[in-house]
Amino acid sequence: ASHIGQPVAERVPGFDLMHHLFEEGHVRGWRVFLLGTSQETIEKTADILQQQYPGLTIAGYRNGFFGPDEDEAVIRQIRDCAPDMLFVARAVDNQEPWIAKHKRALHVPVMMGVGGSFDVIAGVLKRAPKLFQKLRLEWLYRLLQQPSRYRRMFALPKFVVKVMRDKGNIGKHRKAA
């Protein structure tokens, strides 16, 4: 831990930080808006979080499939819900820029990009094993689970492409034993 204004030595993965914020919101009765992923996943995530953190108010949620032409309507929907915290799970290349671009219009005290976290909560994806978390490679684990994401993960190092190619062979030695 640290004193106010001093950086924390250990890196807190986004997934854990998000849950710390949910926990805090549960205790303090904060309102939350969830934005992103598919309609089915976001609904499931909202249900699970409401059960897990009954003190938290899920003020609203919306899937992440909308273009710039709908930004204004989405911002209005979020503002109407008056959340204390906004969690955004959209494509890596548009999640943070979207938050930064609309930060002032949104008027939400805490905003956070959470990538594939809703998919993990809803059980669509598994959380990366501890080793991947330790090596800060949760993104790689997700990529291996959903190779279709690789187009969105720009400037991929060559080794990742090789790992993806070899994915079929990974774990085969265990089955053979």
Side-chain angles (χ1 to χ4, degrees), residues 9-10 24 31 48 72 90 92 114 134 142 146 167:
E10 74 277 14
E24 199 66 28
R31 298 170 60 79
I48 290 168
E72 225 169 282
R90 297 185 81 195
V92 182
V114 295
K134 247 196 204 99
R142 277 204 209 100
Q146 291 184 303
K167 187 184 173 201

Side-chain angles (χ1 to χ4, degrees), residues 58-79:
I58 305 294
Y61 56 82
R62 191 201 190 290
N63 69 57
F65 296 97
F66 58 90
D69 53 322
E70 293 173 85
D71 281 346
E72 225 169 282
V74 173
I75 290 165
R76 201 170 317 114
Q77 184 188 352
I78 294 167
R79 283 180 64 160

Side-chain angles (χ1 to χ4, degrees), residues 31 35-36 39 53 57 60 67 91 100-101 105 107-109 128 132 168:
R31 298 170 60 79
L35 178 66
Q39 189 62 28
Y53 305 100
T57 300
K101 185 178 178 188
H107 293 297
V108 182
F132 280 83

